[in-house]
Amino acid sequence: MNDSALQAAKAQIEAACAVAGKPVIRTFFDEPTFTATHVVHDPVTRRAAIIDSVLDFDQAAGRTSHASADAIIAYVHEQKLTVDWLLETHAHADHLSDAPYLQQQLGGMLVIGREIVTVQNVFAGIFNEPTSFARDGSQFDRLMSDGETFAIGNLGAIALHVPGHTPACLAYVIGDAVFVGDTLFMPDYGSARADFPGGDARTLFRSIRRLMQLPDETRVFLCHDYKAPGRETYVWETTIGAERTGNVHVHDGVSEDDFGTMREARDKTLGMPRLILPSIQVNIRAGHLPEPEANGVSYLKLPLNLL
């Protein structure tokens, strides 16, 4: 992670906050997986990006469907948007991505962080993937590195590498907003777990503190919300200032050691995410199902007594 990338992101946000033309953001919340999918567009050119989509999955029946994605497609058509980007913040362990279906229907370049190759190599071993499974990220259209820039119409965008939850996590700064994936939750809920393969609590702390150097007014959009105790509604938008001063796990004054000790102890009490095994197998393939077998059917593996 380099300081020049962060400085560029800060300058972009400050410029966006000073002028009109901030990104328009519409969020679609999938309650079964507690996932927020964000559609971001430039109000001038109407170019757009879709961040962290959801494939509907009935695990008991082994059936997939596209109701969540179809709602996004209807919105894109209604708003007369052109989708340039399908952005993944990381290889999710709690829901399956529907990026390939959205790409088929709307176009756009499918993007994830360059360190997805690390995740692919780890889980290829866990799932005993065949040699035909590429471990070089080639299932995606573009692998982004820390500080890499792109555009959504007239809106500048910068990728920031924020590992800790997974090695490949990216946050996307778009205009005056940052999309942080699972790195942070709402201030009253805290932070992401860091006990998946390749995760690390102290690395996560450093990534969070890096994000908290962005201007206080930066709009923060989260990938998940689980309703903190005492809160009755789902929320997925806050600000860097609110996170920095009020996050229950990592507000100003919390040290790396304090956070690491808390996060590691807390993670030991957590069960495996309900959809982790199907999700990872699909998401390391950029949302594609495993290759069909001789009978034309795709299968997901369930490793026994391994994890």
Side-chain angles (χ1 to χ4, degrees):
M1 297 185 289
N2 63 78
D3 290 336
S4 61
L6 182 62
Q7 293 306 314
K10 291 168 70 173
Q12 174 181 294
I13 291 166
E14 289 166 354
C17 288
V19 300
K22 299 175 184 179
V24 175
I25 300 162
R26 167 69 187 276
T27 300
F28 295 79
F29 190 74
D30 179 61
E31 189 167 348
T33 63
F34 308 101
T35 302
T37 298
H38 307 291
V39 182
V40 188
H41 79 264
D42 171 16
V44 176
T45 66
R46 309 202 74 76
R47 313 299 290 199
I50 300 171
I51 303 174
D52 291 333
S53 62
V54 175
L55 173 66
D56 301 294
F57 180 54
D58 181 343
Q59 187 174 21
R63 299 196 67 86
T64 62
S65 59
H66 303 288
S68 296
D70 285 338
I72 292 170
I73 292 167
Y75 171 78
V76 167
H77 289 322
E78 172 192 308
Q79 296 295 315
K80 297 180 171 56
L81 306 179
T82 299
V83 174
D84 291 332
W85 303 98
L86 300 160
L87 305 176
E88 299 286 346
T89 55
H90 62 294
H92 306 273
D94 40 31
H95 70 273
L96 286 66
S97 169
D98 210 5
Y101 175 74
L102 288 167
Q103 187 175 51
Q104 181 186 56
Q105 299 296 315
L106 299 172
M109 185 172 288
L110 180 49
V111 174
I112 202 167
R114 186 166 299 282
E115 290 302 315
I116 187 63
V117 298
T118 301
V119 178
Q120 287 178 327
N121 275 284
V122 168
F123 283 100
I126 289 173
F127 291 111
N128 196 30
E129 295 288 355
T131 55
S132 59
F133 171 69
R135 296 155 170 81
D136 59 1
S138 58
Q139 299 88 343
F140 299 84
D141 298 318
R142 181 167 166 181
L143 305 182
M144 285 198 184
S145 302
D146 186 50
E148 196 161 340
T149 60
F150 58 108
I152 303 170
N154 295 330
L155 298 171
I158 299 173
L160 295 177
H161 186 213
V162 286
H165 175 61
T166 80
C169 289
L170 286 185
Y172 298 101
V173 177
I174 301 172
D176 71 331
V178 60
F179 300 83
V180 298
D182 289 11
T183 303
L184 277 168
F185 296 142
M186 289 299 293
D188 60 359
Y189 200 88
S191 60
R193 65 194 298 167
D195 60 337
F196 296 145
D200 180 77
R202 285 163 174 77
T203 300
L204 178 62
F205 176 87
R206 291 191 290 272
S207 292
I208 291 171
R209 297 310 302 177
R210 187 182 192 220
L211 288 173
M212 287 181 177
Q213 294 181 56
L214 295 172
D216 281 355
E217 61 269 29
T218 306
R219 293 187 288 165
V220 177
F221 290 85
L222 315 173
C223 186
H224 296 288
D225 186 56
Y226 303 98
K227 291 184 183 176
R231 176 155 53 82
E232 297 299 323
T233 58
Y234 293 108
V235 189
W236 46 78
E237 180 181 355
T238 182
T239 66
I240 286 293
E243 293 281 18
R244 188 175 55 76
T245 60
N247 187 287
V248 294
H249 289 169
V250 67
H251 55 78
D252 283 353
V254 175
S255 71
E256 181 174 324
D257 284 343
D258 288 343
F259 176 82
T261 299
M262 177 281 299
R263 187 69 265 172
E264 289 164 0
R266 183 179 175 86
D267 288 349
K268 289 177 182 177
T269 72
L270 301 177
M272 295 281 279
R274 179 175 60 89
L275 294 179
I276 184 172
L277 296 176
S279 294
I280 293 294
Q281 289 175 79
V282 169
N283 294 338
I284 59 175
R285 292 175 162 84
H288 295 282
L289 300 179
E291 286 294 318
E293 298 191 8
N295 61 355
V297 177
S298 293
Y299 291 86
L300 295 169
K301 292 182 177 180
L302 183 65
L304 298 178
N305 305 314
L306 179 62
L307 298 177

